[in-house]
Structures are given as structure tokens and as C-alpha cells.
Amino acid sequence: MSGAQNHKVTLLAGGVGGAKMAEGLAALPDVALSVIGNVADDDDFHGLWVSPDIDTLTYSLADVIDRTQGWGVADESHRALETLNRLGADTWMSLGDRDFGLHIYRTMRRLKGDRPSDIARDVARAFGAGAEILLPTDNKVQTRVRTDAGWLSFQEYFVRERCAPEVRELAFDGLDKARPAPEALAAIRQADLIVIAPSNPLVSIAPILGVPGMSAALRAARAPKVAVSPFIGGKVVKGPADRMMAALGERADAAGVAARYRGLADTLVIDHADAGLAGEIRAMGLAPVCSEILMTTQEDKARLAREVADLGLARANRETAA
Ligand code: GDP
Ligand code: CA
């Protein structure tokens, strides 16, 4: 099997930060990658079921992503949205024409009664994503955000309100009754390495880990578990994770990420700029490893992925040898 994709790596990932890590890992010749994505950002628009984080993973891994914005399809037009706008529909959720095709397909298959996991798998394969894309659950789970103006759906908060309102509380509708997808549990059980992407811990990773049985599966897994911090030098690269964590009384830095992943990850990769937090992270039971964790180019993604893979796989080899 030399040189073959002989290491099974399972990545837990949200949208943009998750997709960068996914692309890096998918580029490693010795890795067979399965990505468990986040479905709690999903919502209905114009009668169509939209799954933003799963689509960001698919489009990124298939290399059709709009690289300037990090989401959506490259070379996109918005004529369908123009028509909807003319007809008086709410069009704050930017959906491109090519993108609409996928939402139509997903909705059509859901209406036929197909499992969401099967649809996501088939879409990833048809796009040539080069990794398995798995859903944590086939049930409907939706993040809701309480602000001073009341409860908002996640996309109302994230896209319509541009994350401006203070977050007072987060809720995940349907999460407590969701059942884990068997493929996701198997990917955790069979992995040689489990990676938690530098995704938003509160609204991307928490709704994956919160599916009943998922955290227990992670704890029971034999594989080493390496998380990568979404904070660099005490700041997020993009998005509201820092403000959300602060507003909810959590540390808005790599130590706050360690607190979230305590007992679930055994290693936390942080940026050199956050080396000062290593002691606190170690005290929470995670081994801190410093690196350069900003991923701008494809080379950055593959380099960080190589380091993450080597960290975990070296450890797995040591443990097998012992
Ligand atoms: P979303 O679903 O599109 O919001 O994306 P994710 O939840 O997957 O990722 C959002 C997080 O990714 C943010 O907290 C960012 O700080 C983090 N992020 C984005 N780019 C990078 C990067 O290059 N390196 C690291 N370490 N984190 C990143
Ligand atoms: Ca997201």
C-alpha cells in the first residue's frame, strides 16, 4: 500500500475555516479524507433547502469555490435572484445562479424522501470533491441566535444582520432529538486521526459535537485528536467567533478554544503568536503545539495539514508500536 491513501483522517469542519483545512488534508497523497460538516446553518430560501457550510466544503474541495470571498461558486451570476427581487421576494441571502442548481437538486431529492447524507455524498462525488462529505445527522438541526431584538435564525443573524447584534444566547433547535448518522459515527470509529478544523467552536463545531452520541464516539475513538485554533494572536481571522465567545462569558482566544475541546481533543495547534497561552492550554489537558496557522495559499493549507497529520499519525504509530 506504499504511497496509497492509507491513513484515514476524519475532519470535523464548519464552512470557510473548515474548508481550508479540508483542502489541505485532501491534498496529502497518503490521506483518505472524510469530512463531517455542519448542517445547523441550513435553512429554507424560496422553497429550497440551502446548506451553506456543506456547500462551502463541496465547492472548495471541488475547486469551483469563489476564492475571493471564500464561499459560493466562482464565475457566478445572480439573475434568478434579480427575478425574485422583482417579484418582491426577500433577497438578502445571496444565492448565485449556479448555486441555485444545487439547491434545486437537493430539495428535489429531499422531497423524494432521500436521506440528506446520501444527497450530500452524491453531490460531493458528482462535483469530484476528492473527499467524502458526511453529515453529522440526517435530522433537521438549526442554530438560533437570541439578540436584544429577539430570536433570529442563524442566516438572519449572520447574513441579513451581518453579525451586528450582540449575541445573548445560542440554541440549536432539534439537536437534542437528532440521531447521529451511521456514516459519521463509523468515520470517527475507524479514523487513524481525527482533526477538529479551525472553525467557529460555538456555531460550527458545537452543533456537530452536540448530536447525541457524537461526543461519546469521539471520546471512545482510538485515534489521536488534533484541533487547530481559529484564533491567531488573540483574534479570529474572520467572522463572529470572538465576539460571540466574549458575549457568552467565554475566553475569546486559543485558551477559550482549549476549554471547549477539553476531553475531546488531545492536541491543540496554536499560532506562534499565541505561544504565551501554552501553559494554560496544557493545564486543561491539551498538548499545545505552535505553528503558523494562517492559511492563505494552497501551499499554506497543505503545509499545515502535513504538520497536523504528522503530529497525529506519528503518535498513532508510536502507540501501535508500544
Ligand atoms: P463559517 O461556517 O464559514 O463561519 O466557517 P468556519 O466555522 O469553518 O470557520 C470560521 C473560523 O475560521 C473563524 O473563526 C476564523 O478565525 C477561522 N479561520 C478562517 N481562516 C483561517 C485560517 O487561515 N487559519 C485559522 N487558524 N483559522 C481560520
Ligand atoms: Ca457556517
Side-chain angles (χ1 to χ4, degrees), residues 14-18 20 53 198-200 204 229-230 236-238 293-295:
V16 174
K20 288 185 179 181
D53 283 1
S199 289
N200 186 320
S204 291
S229 172
V236 288
V237 179
K238 195 168 176 265
I293 63 167
L294 182 65
M295 295 174 275

Side-chain angles (χ1 to χ4, degrees), residues 51 56 77 82 91 116 124 140 147 167 187 220 268 282 298 310 320:
S51 196
T56 296
S77 52
E82 276 167 35
T91 52
K140 186 164 152 186
T147 69
V167 174
L268 180 64
R282 196 173 295 112
Q298 296 303 97
D310 288 346
T320 321

Side-chain angles (χ1 to χ4, degrees), residues 33-34 54 57-59 61-62 102 105 109 117-134 183:
L33 179 65
S34 297
I54 302 301
L57 288 171
T58 304
Y59 292 152
L61 287 164
L102 174 48
Y105 178 80
R109 291 220 21 208
S117 289
D118 289 343
I119 306 170
R121 178 203 58 209
D122 293 348
V123 169
R125 287 188 187 162
F127 271 81
E132 291 286 325
I133 295 184
L134 309 176
E183 295 90 339

Side-chain angles (χ1 to χ4, degrees), residues 77-140:
S77 52
H78 293 85
R79 302 219 161 163
L81 215 61
E82 276 167 35
T83 302
L84 285 159
N85 194 39
R86 171 177 290 192
L87 295 169
D90 258 339
T91 52
W92 50 262
M93 185 72 174
S94 171
L95 300 168
D97 296 333
R98 290 167 181 250
D99 193 33
F100 259 114
L102 174 48
H103 308 318
I104 292 168
Y105 178 80
R106 174 186 294 115
T107 306
M108 175 190 78
R109 291 220 21 208
R110 288 174 74 104
L111 289 173
K112 280 204 294 188
D114 288 348
R115 287 173 68 224
S117 289
D118 289 343
I119 306 170
R121 178 203 58 209
D122 293 348
V123 169
R125 287 188 187 162
F127 271 81
E132 291 286 325
I133 295 184
L134 309 176
L135 306 187
T137 178
D138 287 315
N139 300 117
K140 186 164 152 186

